[in-house]
Amino acid sequence: MRVALIALLCQLLALSARAEAPPPELLALTESLPPLSYEEGGEHKGFSNELLQMMLRDSGLRAVIEVKPWSRALREAQQTPNTLLYLTVRTPEREAWFKWIGPALPLPIEVFRLAGPHAPPASMDEIRRAKIAVARDTPGEKILEEKGFAASDNLVLTNDEAQSARLLYARRVQFSAGVGLFQRYAARQQGQNPEQLEPVLVLDDRTRFYFALQKDSKPEYAARLQAALDKIKQDGRYAALLKRYNHP
């Protein structure tokens, strides 16, 4: 009887603690973009999710993580204070939308084709005469549009990098544009040989991915997250994480 009463008391205390726990300070929005962010067995995995969890622990902040299509996540993250979008490229167009935390990851944006025997180097003029796949609402799309590509002509807009890779390997397009880390991972998951993905042109080698906190969020949240990221970089955890995900 005494044991049962103690067990009941412990349950009541646990329920009370959960009821009194404050709500998370942040809503964290991301997309399914392996190997940076994906769900497996009901858990959030990947480089960016692991890095975020480290930052949350070090900053003492809590977050609810939701996975959404990129265009929707980007739109919602601009509207709701204390919403964290990750990882995203910091561009002049987006600068005023967010408080920026990072940089979290350097990744160049390139044009790819399938490697073949005796394939000559590709020129921009050749690419303009072909079909090129690129994920919509990404810096890659914007760069190509600035270079004269159009969805009504030679630009094939996709939902994500995985779909761009799928179209390329199916030879429904001659080129794809985006980040090699993402497209090679997608190719491997699709049963293709990622070594066939050949970079032919660099669109932007200064690309840096960041955590982006909605502009009207509490300034202290951005400061705490940035301090946490800086510490993770200084104590070796960041380098170890990069190495584990085979990123130079």
Side-chain angles (χ1 to χ4, degrees):
M1 185 67 176
R2 183 179 178 186
V3 173
L5 286 174
I6 292 174
L8 179 60
L9 179 60
C10 290
Q11 291 176 358
L12 291 173
L13 288 173
L15 288 172
S16 175
R18 284 198 293 269
E20 294 174 1
E25 292 92 349
L26 300 170
L27 170 63
L29 300 181
T30 189
E31 64 177 328
S32 180
L33 187 61
L36 289 192
S37 177
Y38 61 96
E39 289 184 285
E40 184 177 278
E43 296 183 2
H44 298 288
K45 295 188 175 182
F47 174 88
S48 58
N49 281 315
E50 289 196 44
L51 182 57
L52 175 61
Q53 293 299 339
M54 291 181 191
M55 291 164 61
L56 291 172
R57 284 194 296 270
D58 283 22
S59 66
L61 294 170
R62 298 173 304 281
V64 172
I65 296 174
E66 294 184 5
V67 179
K68 297 187 177 185
W70 181 250
S71 294
R72 182 178 170 189
L74 178 61
R75 183 174 63 254
E76 292 184 12
Q78 296 175 53
Q79 300 169 349
T80 308
N82 303 325
T83 299
L84 184 71
L85 181 70
Y86 69 104
L87 292 172
T88 186
V89 177
R90 185 174 185 172
T91 66
E93 178 188 18
R94 298 174 179 176
E95 186 68 29
W97 299 351
F98 300 106
K99 301 178 189 296
W100 296 93
I101 299 140
L105 190 65
L107 290 173
I109 298 172
E110 301 173 281
V111 174
F112 304 94
R113 69 179 172 193
L114 295 182
H118 313 300
S123 66
M124 182 58 74
D125 287 339
E126 178 188 352
I127 296 170
R128 283 197 179 93
R129 294 193 297 269
K131 294 287 186 181
I132 179 168
V134 64
R136 59 172 51 87
D137 295 326
T138 62
E141 178 194 358
K142 183 174 178 59
I143 293 171
L144 289 173
E145 288 176 343
E146 289 174 348
K147 292 182 179 297
F149 291 77
S152 60
D153 184 15
N154 51 357
L155 201 60
V156 179
L157 299 180
T158 64
N159 293 327
D160 50 36
E161 299 265 12
Q163 187 180 10
S164 295
R166 187 177 295 111
L167 292 178
L168 181 63
Y169 277 86
R171 300 187 186 277
R172 292 173 58 187
V173 297
Q174 290 74 51
F175 298 93
S176 66
V179 176
L181 179 68
F182 304 153
Q183 294 201 17
R184 288 190 178 90
Y185 182 91
R188 186 178 293 109
Q189 295 299 104
Q190 295 164 16
Q192 305 290 351
N193 178 6
E195 299 306 317
Q196 282 188 280
L197 196 68
E198 178 182 54
V200 296
L201 186 69
V202 177
L203 294 177
D204 187 350
D205 62 359
R206 299 164 298 171
T207 307
R208 300 292 183 269
F209 281 69
Y210 282 72
F211 293 89
L213 188 63
Q214 197 269 353
K215 64 182 179 66
D216 297 320
S217 303
K218 290 186 177 180
E220 69 171 277
Y221 293 169
R224 289 164 67 177
L225 289 169
Q226 185 66 61
L229 178 58
D230 292 343
K231 179 182 176 184
I232 292 164
K233 287 183 175 182
Q234 292 166 3
D235 65 19
R237 284 177 289 167
Y238 180 80
L241 189 61
L242 285 177
K243 184 177 180 180
R244 190 146 51 81
Y245 281 90
N246 300 310
H247 185 46

